[in-house]
Amino acid sequence: MAEKRDYYEVLGVAKTASADEIKSAYRKLAMKYHPDRNPGDESAKAKFQEASEAYEVLSNPEKRQRYDQFGHQGVEFGPGGFDFGRDFSHFQDVDLNDILSSVFGGMGGGFGDFFGGGRRSRRSVDPNAPRRGEDMTFRLDVDFDEAIFGSERTIDLSLPGQCPDCHGTGSADGKFRTCRTCGGNGVVIGGSGFFQVRQTCPACGGVGQVIEKPCRKCGGSGTVKTPRHISLKIPAGVDTGSRLRLSGQGGGGVRGGENGDLYVLLGVRDSDIFVRDGLDLEVDIPISPATAALGGAVSVPTPHGEAQIKVPAGTPNGKVFRLRGKGVPSLRGGDAGDLNARLVVEVPANLDRRQREALEAFQKASTASTYPEAQTFANRVKVFFAHRDKLRK
């Protein structure tokens, strides 16, 4: 058996391709190699099946993750035929009755008839019916200040909208033909042996019909990229990973269908002053040795303006002062976070002669009690070495 090609190679996309890029690549290949457009061409049929298999895996986030990690072995059927542990989440339109109907379909009636209920067969979808636009995701990086205080932005995007030439039908002349892959039912039966499942036809997307002459402008998709200017209000308190939903601002609907939604995924740039931890902020405040030793008032920047803290005499380096309610505002209207100001004693630099002489005089006047922490450390070192010398004897 020939070795399977890499699914990304089959679709001609990079491994970092988005869901929209994967869908677009598959649509082009499906239109090119579809059996209806290449009757009797076994090579085209094989390529169509190969592309459909690749799309089935890469369009499903969970399957794609398994494929990226384990390759084809992570998503293929087991050695005994059908893999009962396989993920069927992509069969969006299948219920238990659909599955069992295909199993008992040869018994003279559907599974519903077996229990006396009955079930209508699936009908093809009207290709000219209104279709809702796709939900789109856009990443936007904002400054730290915008995340704290909120802002308003205007973003320029190119989003899919109804093709003006074919009015969203995808057909150049408005004509459609019954899909040969599913026979117009919109579904195909997969699996093997006793257990079978139905899935949406990959050739027609469940519509049951295919386009005879694709529209040149949109390539048969029914949509074209359209420039859009969108106003966005960023509320105060957002953080990296926050997602804003703009209803009806996503991909344009076709043939009278409603627009999809636009989701804006935010990333927040780092601040030059603050470090954020949830709703709390941290800031380092440089102070002089004199202020740390003698005490005094120190100014602390907060999102609400400058605040004053009183530093007691003898404050050690690294002392943290908590300013309650001076942090990030809550998106949900609760209490704002706190701001933690950490004092950092700065060593004097660029001393002139007078300053150096003053420090030397201070050093000569100092005693062991002037630096209690240094004295405590020195005492601990003496105890350590004394214990070491005792152990060596």
Side-chain angles (χ1 to χ4, degrees):
M1 181 179 295
E3 184 178 352
K4 287 186 178 181
R5 285 204 298 155
D6 179 79
Y7 286 149
Y8 293 100
E9 179 184 343
V10 170
L11 297 182
V13 297
K15 290 190 176 182
T16 56
S18 66
D20 289 337
E21 290 172 334
I22 290 174
K23 184 176 182 180
S24 177
Y26 169 68
R27 181 184 288 119
K28 292 178 181 178
L29 291 174
M31 290 180 60
K32 181 177 181 180
Y33 296 114
H34 193 280
D36 285 351
R37 303 188 69 181
N38 303 273
D41 189 340
E42 293 299 324
S43 176
K45 180 180 179 181
K47 290 180 180 179
F48 174 76
Q49 292 174 343
E50 184 183 41
S52 297
E53 179 180 330
Y55 178 69
E56 179 186 356
V57 172
L58 299 185
S59 63
N60 184 299
E62 294 182 4
K63 288 185 179 181
R64 183 177 180 180
Q65 182 180 6
R66 292 203 302 269
Y67 176 73
D68 289 342
Q69 186 173 1
F70 302 109
H72 291 97
Q73 292 182 349
V75 294
E76 66 184 6
F77 289 153
F82 197 83
D83 181 5
F84 284 89
R86 193 177 183 218
D87 175 25
F88 290 94
S89 60
H90 65 292
F91 295 135
Q92 298 293 335
D93 59 343
V94 176
D95 60 20
L96 182 60
N97 202 20
D98 283 323
I99 297 174
L100 296 180
S101 291
S102 65
V103 174
F104 293 99
M107 298 178 60
F111 185 69
D113 293 335
F114 185 77
F115 284 96
R119 179 180 175 88
R120 294 181 298 174
S121 61
R122 182 185 178 100
R123 295 180 179 178
S124 60
V125 180
D126 181 4
N128 291 307
R131 190 176 78 222
R132 183 182 185 273
E134 296 184 24
D135 291 340
M136 312 296 292
T137 300
F138 173 75
R139 179 179 173 86
L140 177 66
D141 291 329
V142 300
D143 291 333
F144 184 86
D145 299 348
E146 291 182 89
I148 299 298
F149 304 115
S151 69
E152 294 184 1
R153 285 283 198 99
T154 299
I155 53 180
D156 296 328
L157 298 175
S158 291
L159 299 176
Q162 178 171 291
C163 175
D165 286 10
C166 65
H167 306 290
T169 65
S171 174
D173 54 9
K175 295 180 180 180
F176 297 84
R177 182 174 55 188
T178 301
C179 176
R180 294 176 181 174
T181 301
C182 64
N185 294 320
V187 295
V188 292
I189 298 177
S192 61
F194 180 77
F195 192 83
Q196 296 178 327
V197 292
R198 294 185 180 186
Q199 68 178 39
T200 300
C201 176
C204 64
V207 177
Q209 300 184 54
V210 293
I211 300 170
E212 288 188 343
K213 186 178 180 182
C215 171
R216 290 186 177 183
K217 188 174 185 64
C218 65
S221 67
T223 61
V224 292
K225 290 293 183 69
T226 305
R228 194 94 64 82
H229 304 284
I230 300 174
S231 297
L232 172 66
K233 184 175 182 179
I234 301 174
V238 297
D239 200 358
T240 294
S242 294
R243 193 174 70 159
L244 307 180
R245 175 175 174 266
L246 302 181
S247 179
Q249 295 289 349
V254 295
R255 301 184 296 276
E258 62 180 4
N259 291 349
D261 297 332
L262 177 65
Y263 293 90
V264 180
L265 184 64
L266 297 178
V268 180
R269 301 185 183 96
D270 292 336
S271 169
D272 294 332
I273 301 175
F274 302 103
V275 174
R276 181 171 177 176
D277 182 12
L279 294 181
D280 293 339
L281 294 177
E282 299 174 2
V283 59
D284 287 346
I285 307 297
I287 63 172
S288 68
T291 301
L294 304 176
V298 173
S299 179
V300 177
T302 80
H304 310 279
E306 288 192 335
Q308 297 290 321
I309 60 174
K310 186 176 181 181
V311 179
T315 296
N317 180 57
K319 174 70 175 179
V320 176
F321 291 81
R322 179 181 293 272
L323 283 69
R324 298 195 178 278
K326 298 298 184 180
V328 180
S330 173
L331 269 173
R332 298 174 176 81
D335 295 335
D338 300 332
L339 185 141
N340 299 312
R342 185 169 70 97
L343 302 186
V344 180
V345 179
E346 183 177 8
V347 177
N350 305 316
L351 301 176
D352 58 24
R353 182 180 61 81
R354 185 172 61 87
Q355 292 168 332
R356 182 177 294 277
E357 289 175 352
L359 278 178
E360 290 174 348
F362 171 77
Q363 185 67 21
K364 291 179 181 179
S366 299
T367 63
S369 62
T370 306
Y371 300 100
E373 290 187 15
Q375 185 62 38
T376 299
F377 179 75
N379 292 336
R380 290 174 179 171
V381 171
K382 288 180 181 179
V383 172
F384 172 78
F385 285 126
H387 188 219
R388 181 202 63 178
D389 295 341
K390 183 179 179 180
L391 293 174
R392 285 181 173 180
K393 292 181 180 179

